[in-house]
C-alpha cells in the first residue's frame, strides 16, 4: 500500500458510520452483507448508506458484488492487512520490543 492509498483509507474511516460499517463487514466475513441489511444495521436510509458504501469502495477497503437484484458488500481483508502493514512497516527500527507487543495484540484479536 502506498501513502496515497493509505490516505484514502484513513479518510474513509474518519467518519463514524463508515467505520461502523467496515467493522460489521469484518465480522460478516467473506460472504459480506446486503446493502439493505447494512443500512438497517447502521440505522441510516438506503441513499445515505449508498453514499458511505461508495466511499469505502473508492478507498479500496470493501468490495461489491451483485447477486440477482441485490448488492452485497464485503471487507477486503487484503487491503485491511496492507493498511496495518503500512502503519507498522518501520516500527522495529531499533525497537524490536514494540513489534513484539504489536504482534501479541494482533494475534489475540483474531
Amino acid at each position: 500500500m502506498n501513502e496515497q492509498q493509505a490516505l484514502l483509507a484513513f479518510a474513509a474511516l474518519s467518519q463514524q458510520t463508515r467505520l461502523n460499517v467496515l467493522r460489521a463487514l469484518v465480522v460478516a466475513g467473506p460472504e459480506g452483507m446486503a446493502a439493505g441489511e447494512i443500512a438497517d444495521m447502521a440505522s441510516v436510509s438506503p441513499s445515505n448508506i449508498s453514499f458511505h458504501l461508495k466511499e469505502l469502495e473508492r478507498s479500496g477497503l470493501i468490495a461489491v458484488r451483485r447477486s440477482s437484484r441485490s448488492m452485497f458488500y464485503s471487507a477486503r481483508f487484503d487491503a485491511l492487512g496492507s493498511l496495518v502493514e503500512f502503519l507498522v512497516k518501520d516500527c522495529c527500527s531499533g525497537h524490536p520490543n514494540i513489534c513484539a507487543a504489536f504482534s501479541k495484540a494482533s494475534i489475540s484479536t483474531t
Side-chain angles (χ1 to χ4, degrees), residues 48-108:
N48 190 296
I49 203 63
S50 178
F51 168 78
H52 291 300
L53 290 168
K54 186 179 291 185
E55 286 298 308
L56 285 167
E57 185 181 8
R58 187 173 76 87
S59 75
L61 295 175
I62 67 170
V64 61
R65 75 178 187 288
R66 179 181 290 278
S67 179
S68 188
R69 296 179 64 195
S70 298
M71 303 298 280
F72 286 84
Y73 294 85
S74 56
R76 288 196 51 223
F77 293 97
D78 59 332
L80 292 169
S82 293
L83 184 58
V84 170
E85 185 179 327
F86 175 85
L87 285 173
V88 299
K89 181 173 77 171
D90 301 319
C91 80
C92 293
S93 298
H95 305 285
N97 57 325
I98 295 172
C99 289
F102 173 77
S103 293
K104 287 178 188 175
S106 64
I107 290 170
S108 68

